[in-house]
Amino acid sequence: MTLSATSAAHGESGDARSPVRKQFVDRVFDGVDPFASYAASETVSKSLTDALPEGWGSDHPYFRDYIELIRPRRIVEIGTWLGGSAVHMGRLLRAAGLNDSCIICVDTWLGSSEHFLNAPERRTLKLTNGRATFYDDFMRNVVRHGLNDLIVPFSITSVAAAEVFREIEFAPDLIYVDGDHTSRGFRADLELYWDILRPGGVLIGDDFDWQEIHMNVLEFAFLQKVEFKAFDNKFAMRKPT
């Protein structure tokens, strides 16, 4: 089964308003929305007014620039953490009237090597029985901002997610890469997600000042013969049509 962006009409409410989101949920989650039980639970409803940190660098101008330019229906975010950038993109989609779009947030919500090697970062994982438990904070942030009809969490590795996207022919219009920051891990994400990005689509990446990322972007852009922009620690490149 493939995910066709034109198989449902616009203008309806809920998931019907976002056919791309509905088709993804139907295909990958057997039609069971990840937020269905969460948003209705009493524990969550009591905590929705609690202020939660959402990350950093989440409102960079590139998000607005490229959402306005390409008006994406399929956005994939690699590395979501507490949802700051996903929430920001969701608000931009709302403002642009793109309520039939969706954002797939790919993350294990289990932390990275950086977190386990550094005590201050490790504490942010909220370890319980040796396992990170901050996924609930991400879910709460999305619900608190009323964006659970646009955002879908996909709790899986970026490599496995890329295989799923390829198999179901889900070609993103916009991809935000902010996952593995090791040289090998970042390069794998860059290559895998550039491959599934639709022609004319845009890939935005974070932490361009990290040496591992900076050098990989320079080499990748040269090999692909594409130009990239870099500003305020973000980079962006558009796939030729």
Side-chain angles (χ1 to χ4, degrees), residues 46-99:
K46 288 181 179 178
S47 62
L48 288 181
T49 57
D50 295 346
L52 287 171
E54 294 173 356
W56 45 91
S58 301
D59 56 356
H60 192 280
Y62 277 175
F63 293 119
R64 180 183 299 276
D65 291 347
Y66 288 108
I67 284 177
E68 290 180 351
L69 177 66
I70 65 176
R71 299 183 64 81
R73 297 192 69 193
R74 305 170 192 81
I75 297 177
V76 169
E77 178 177 74
I78 310 303
T80 292
W81 191 236
L82 298 178
S85 51
V87 165
H88 181 63
M89 286 190 286
R91 287 170 166 171
L92 292 174
L93 292 174
R94 284 260 197 267
L98 297 171
N99 292 310

Side-chain angles (χ1 to χ4, degrees), residues 63 105 169:
F63 293 119
C105 293
E169 299 181 20

Side-chain angles (χ1 to χ4, degrees), residues 10 39 65-66 76 91 105 138 151 161 170 177 214 217-218 221 238:
H10 295 233
D65 291 347
Y66 288 108
V76 169
R91 287 170 166 171
C105 293
F138 157 77
I151 293 173
F170 187 95
V177 179
H214 186 94
V217 170
L218 292 179
R238 190 165 189 179

Side-chain angles (χ1 to χ4, degrees), residues 76-79 175-181 185-186 189-190 193-194 203-207 213 234-235:
V76 169
E77 178 177 74
I78 310 303
I175 297 175
Y176 178 47
V177 179
D178 188 21
D180 194 330
H181 282 44
F186 171 75
D189 284 345
L190 191 57
Y193 284 88
W194 183 259
L203 185 146
I204 300 172
D206 195 25
D207 294 316
I213 292 175
K234 294 279 196 297
F235 69 90

Side-chain angles (χ1 to χ4, degrees), residues 221-237:
F222 174 77
L223 293 174
Q224 294 292 329
K225 297 181 173 58
V226 295
E227 295 182 354
F228 68 89
K229 296 181 179 180
F231 169 67
D232 264 359
N233 211 24
K234 294 279 196 297
F235 69 90
M237 57 181 77

